[in-house]
Amino acid sequence: MRALISVWDKTDVVDFAARLSELGWEIVSSGGTASALADAGVAVLAVEDVTDSPEMLDGRVKTLHPRIHGGILADRSKPQHLASLDEHGIAAIDLVVCNLYPFRSDPGPELIDIGGPAMVRAAAKNHGDDAGGVGVLVDPADYEPVLAELGEHGALSAATRRRLARAAFAHTAAYDAAIVGWLDEEIAGDGGEARGAGGTADAGGASSLPPTVHLALERVDECRYGENPHHLGARYRPVGSSTWWDHTVQHGGLALSYLNFFDADAAWRIVHDLGDAEGSPAVVIVKHANPCGAAAGDDLADTYQRAYDCDARSAFGGIVAFNRVVDLATVERLEEAAQADLVIAPGYEDGVIERIAAKRRNTRVLEGPRPDAAGLSLRQINGGWLVQSPHTFAAAPDEWQVVTERKPTERELADARFAWRVCGHVTSNAIVLARDRTAWGIGAGQQNRVESGLLAASKADGRAAGGACASDAFYPFPDGVEAAAEAGAAVVVQPGGALRDDDVIARANALGIAMLFTGERQFRH
């Protein structure tokens, strides 16, 4: 039995090869792998001794040879294939152990592996359903189970070879996807139209979406369950990548469900966006992917209290996100509030985690780094996907247009900036009533804008009087502005662009409120 071993990641490969040799296997290897095995005392046959051809072109050509690929690809169930091996003096290769150059670590032409993928794909193609199939190993985690099976049975079962072949094709598919993504970035950087799956378009949308998108994802977390307990769920990430989730620590509570991941991700992105925009501590409470509380301020405990008071009833079972280390004063407020499903923060003062666990033992407590920059947004539809550039706020507040006779005061302008920022993260149709860096009323997901406004006004219950009303899209009729004025808003911020803008502006003037046009819509579905 002959094994070809040529790996970039040499984790445990010497021990694997030594034990394989003890089982009676002949080891063929090349380059650095061959040197590592020989230095460790493992008997190894060099590839060039098999091919009678030296490595050439700085190692670009060494395993691309009929005596290698013939040995891998020969179908042992076909007499004519065996006859060809005999005719050309080619020994069959029964196991290929190979993983590829680390392209993601330093993308460029020199790390585009050619011989490695060719060997991996050849072995995976020829995994076979009979006793003569080829095994292929691309992951050191498979060394031990393969050795155990070979030691017990002398050969790999068809089921094992099939599983390993699947892993091998996934390995090469992810590798090719990484190369395509890099090329897309290179083309986009040169002013072309391709844009990779991990890239971002500029705020004005000048860069086009790529002609193809190649996703290669690996499962890294099992969810407690999916959207509902009878559904399965898991978290996947791009193969070979590391996201903020991978550096997040869970200090306590139940295992995460699908919705815990989904809502915590939303809360974490919103709280950092809001905190960055305000330049201060921020707290966001999310329920069913929508903020039901949002506040910014100088004192974290007070900021949390205002976020919670926005909609205390909806906050029950919600996700609480902080952009600052949670201190003891803040945890006292948490203890007095309704049960949260999950709390996430960049850190916790000594004693805080223990107090949460003592009071809310099922609450999941996460500590994580800042969220990653957003790439392309993908959403599945029946039979395909919708792809768009990531969610952004394109127009800065100093670019907004005051369209009414009355100009907003500095305090009203600050309320408008805060309300607009929160509104951009609320499911459409969205209306947000805010004052003093607190979202006192959030109306989300209604089929018409007036009802979203009524919902926001009901939740605000007068607490946003004198503040701002933000609408994620234009008011098609004056009734939306009338509802904002009735809720006590002193300033309205909206995209503008409706056919009846003049009527809406006139009504705002008649009501004595200021109005700002942002020039951009913030629909979110």
Side-chain angles (χ1 to χ4, degrees), residues 14-69:
V14 170
D15 179 66
F16 175 78
R19 292 167 64 187
L20 200 62
S21 182
E22 291 171 2
L23 291 173
W25 285 66
E26 181 181 45
I27 308 299
V28 178
S29 190
S30 65
T33 305
S35 297
L37 298 182
D39 290 346
V42 178
V44 60
L45 180 64
V47 163
E48 51 262 42
D49 292 334
V50 173
T51 62
D52 289 330
S53 177
E55 293 185 13
M56 61 182 69
L57 306 179
D58 297 321
R60 288 189 176 193
V61 177
K62 50 191 173 186
T63 59
L64 297 170
H65 194 281
R67 289 188 177 177
I68 296 297
H69 283 273

Side-chain angles (χ1 to χ4, degrees), residues 78-157:
K78 295 182 177 180
Q80 64 269 36
H81 282 208
L82 298 178
S84 291
L85 293 183
D86 287 340
E87 179 185 354
H88 298 287
I90 299 173
I93 294 174
D94 306 285
L95 185 67
V96 171
V97 184
C98 182
N99 50 59
L100 310 180
Y101 295 162
F103 178 83
R104 297 176 190 84
S105 67
D106 186 21
E110 288 308 312
L111 285 185
I112 297 178
D113 202 334
I114 301 301
M119 288 190 296
V120 168
R121 289 178 60 84
K125 170 187 173 69
N126 202 27
H127 70 273
D129 289 325
D130 54 33
V134 178
V136 56
L137 282 166
V138 296
D139 186 349
D142 281 317
Y143 290 171
E144 197 61 41
V146 162
L147 284 169
E149 188 169 337
L150 290 176
E152 183 175 357
H153 302 291
L156 297 178
S157 69

